[in-house]
Amino acid sequence: MEVKIGVQHAPREIVLESGQSAEEVERVVAEALAGKSQLLSLVDEHGRKILVPADRLAYVEIGEPAPRKVGFGAL
């Protein structure tokens, strides 16, 4: 699952591939925005933990990963 996180006052977004489902990511984001947690905490496919202060979230985009293209052929 590809997740893009926009952070206020940051020029670039955070992009990660997560093994969590879209519903799990949405639940964690909703809890952070509701004030149940001060940090948005997600784990990527490599086991790295990404922490973002909930009050600095600008947006979270949840989508399917794009298939990687291999080779030189035009499709």
Side-chain angles (χ1 to χ4, degrees), residues 26-38:
E26 185 176 352
R27 181 184 51 79
V28 172
V29 171
E31 288 176 359
L33 292 175
K36 294 182 181 178
S37 172
Q38 293 184 351

Side-chain angles (χ1 to χ4, degrees), residues 35-49:
K36 294 182 181 178
S37 172
Q38 293 184 351
L39 292 173
L40 170 62
S41 175
L42 296 171
V43 179
D44 72 0
E45 288 183 335
H46 302 288
R48 295 178 290 206
K49 188 176 270 193

Side-chain angles (χ1 to χ4, degrees), residues 1 5 10 28 30 32 37-38 40 44 47 54 56-57 62 72 74-75:
M1 179 67 49
I5 304 169
V28 172
S37 172
Q38 293 184 351
L40 170 62
D44 72 0
R56 297 290 180 192
L57 287 175
I62 304 168
F72 298 102
L75 297 176

Side-chain angles (χ1 to χ4, degrees), residues 9-35:
H9 310 295
R12 293 179 29 182
E13 62 191 9
I14 300 169
V15 180
L16 65 121
E17 291 288 332
S18 177
Q20 297 171 305
S21 69
E23 292 80 20
E24 289 175 310
V25 173
E26 185 176 352
R27 181 184 51 79
V28 172
V29 171
E31 288 176 359
L33 292 175

